[in-house]
Amino acid sequence: LHFLALISFTPYDVPAVAPLISRHAGMDMPNGNFIGPVGAIWAGYSFFFFGAASYLLPAIMIWFAVANLMGFRVVNWKMLMAVLVCIVSAASLVDLQNLFFDSWIEDYNLPKSRGGLVGYVAGQLTIGKVLGPVGSGVLIGTVYLVSLIVITGLHPFQFVQIVRRDVSDWFARQRTLREERRALAEKEERQ
């Protein structure tokens, strides 16, 4: 529901009861959000606080649901803290970069930042002022990656080993297919 509310959000869908995020406070316009006025308000506040990083929350919730259904991961306080750190660091990274989401501040009625209020405060006002753009990018990027490792339980070295194994297996299968085709072609030539 959160994802559907996010993808169908426009500030014009937010009813006047939420004037902080509404574009038409006092106007009576039809709601186009897939989840209705509640979805518009929920998505509006998500974007207001976390900007483009809002999409991480439904992705992480889906990850937890699948992992729990498969019996791989159990949600505990450590994971919930990692989710909070991941979303705050992602909002800060979105705020620090200036390549993407330029129009979001105006389009989604965000407060000064593509990373929302949290991204602006954490990314620019605190860490960005102390470490500068490069230092803060390195620190926040590292914190983001560590939080993803805690959430997913997949360590970078394990990931590299899995990718390397899969790539090696693919090349071995391709080599076997080429050898089988060559043997078949030689057999057809002898006949």
Side-chain angles (χ1 to χ4, degrees), residues 116-147:
L117 185 63
V118 170
Y120 179 71
V121 170
Q124 281 189 32
L125 293 184
T126 54
I127 298 171
K129 290 223 186 246
V130 174
L131 297 178
V134 175
S136 58
V138 169
L139 176 66
I140 295 170
T142 302
V143 168
Y144 175 73
L145 289 175
V146 169
S147 67

Side-chain angles (χ1 to χ4, degrees), residues 1-11 13-15 17-18 21-22 31 33-51 53-59 61 87 108 110:
L1 291 175
H2 189 188
F3 178 72
L4 291 173
L6 291 174
I7 63 171
S8 62
F9 175 77
T10 68
D13 288 339
V14 179
V17 296
I21 57 173
S22 179
N31 187 299
N33 194 287
F34 293 158
I35 311 302
V38 170
I41 292 170
W42 182 256
Y45 278 115
S46 292
F47 283 129
F48 182 82
F49 286 109
F50 303 111
S54 296
Y55 285 102
L56 275 178
L57 189 56
M61 289 171 20
I87 292 173
Y108 290 94
L110 301 179

Side-chain angles (χ1 to χ4, degrees), residues 159-175:
F159 180 73
V160 169
Q161 287 176 343
I162 290 169
V163 169
R164 194 188 85 205
R165 185 191 68 223
D166 288 349
V167 169
S168 297
D169 290 348
W170 183 82
F171 278 114
R173 283 192 305 272
Q174 296 304 314
R175 185 174 36 251

